Amino acid sequence: MSRPSPLAKPTTILLTGGTSGIGAVLLSRLLDRGHTVLALSRGAVHLPARAGLVPVGADLTDLPELPGLVAGLLADHPALSVVINNAAVQHALELTASTPAQLIEEAALNLTAPALIVQAALPHLMRQPQGAVVNLSSGLATFPKQAGGLYSATKAGLSSLTTSLRWQVEGTPLLVSEVVLPLVDTPMTAGRGARKLTAERAAEAILRGLDARRPVIRVGAARALPLIAALAPWLGRRMLRGG
Ligand SMILES: NC(=O)c1ccc[n+]([C@@H]2O[C@H](COP(=O)([O-])OP(=O)(O)OC[C@H]3O[C@@H](n4cnc5c(N)ncnc54)[C@H](OP(=O)(O)O)[C@@H]3O)[C@@H](O)[C@H]2O)c1
């Protein structure tokens, strides 16, 4: 018998970056569905109060603090069964034009923070009957963007990390999902790109994918990428090079 969705029953979810873009819509939809959501980001404490919302004000680039932070959240919220690593930053700069501080922030937030959060939560999540880890990746993990070299590399790294983690927990009930997104209309992409997916449609596709327990949730135009990668990788490189 197939397992139910990790979101089938009201549960407790740790969501990073619920203050903006796709994360803000995910937060709203998860609260609508009756879940308790620990919304973790720097500005989370300014979110308007809602039933089920637990704001956790923290900067995910404070890497040494993360294991202790997650341990504290698990102690206070033992029903936590789903972690969604959504927070990220993209510096729309050529690699050589980025400041060292921007590169350090981008790598820490997009790649090292999710790894540390998952490491700290994994033993707990593996004891849950319907646990899940959900990592938000990008089509740029497959074909990088010229002006977003480190961003693309962090998403390729997160994609790789997600596959490794899925192999590590094989045979357990833990669902490990990678979300592969196309260009979505959020503050991250303000002022660039055309024909962007709305954050609402992106978030709804993610939730449908989790309900179906998909290990890889490809959203919108990102669904074509495996075929393009197999048949015409030069075309994929040309399409995504501009971002
Ligand atoms: N938009 C796209 O086209 C697109 C495409 C592919 C993949 N994605 C992925 O989808 C996810 C969401 O992207 P988005 O476009 O919705 O982004 P966004 O609107 O820019 O939101 C980013 C979120 O990250 C949080 N954040 C930033 N720095 C942080 C820090 N130091 N510590 C804690 N939280 C921090 C922000 O919260 P605070 O400011 O409150 O800290 C905010 O809630 C990301 O993983 C992104 O890579 C997006």
Side-chain angles (χ1 to χ4, degrees), residues 16-24 40-44 58-62 85-90 105 109-110 136-140 151 155 158 179-189 192 196 199:
T16 67
T19 53
S20 170
I22 300 158
L40 191 163
S41 79
R42 296 164 305 180
D59 187 331
L60 285 165
T61 63
D62 286 343
N85 285 305
N86 163 77
V89 70
Q90 179 178 172
E105 177 204 18
L109 179 63
N110 297 10
L136 269 69
S137 174
S138 163
L140 299 177
Y151 176 82
K155 291 298 170 182
L158 188 65
V179 178
V180 187
L181 289 162
L183 196 61
V184 182
D185 194 9
T186 71
M188 181 183 278
T189 62
R192 61 182 176 83
K196 293 186 263 193

Side-chain angles (χ1 to χ4, degrees), residues 30 60 79 119 145 224:
L30 291 168
L60 285 165
Q119 185 191 44
K145 171 178 159 181

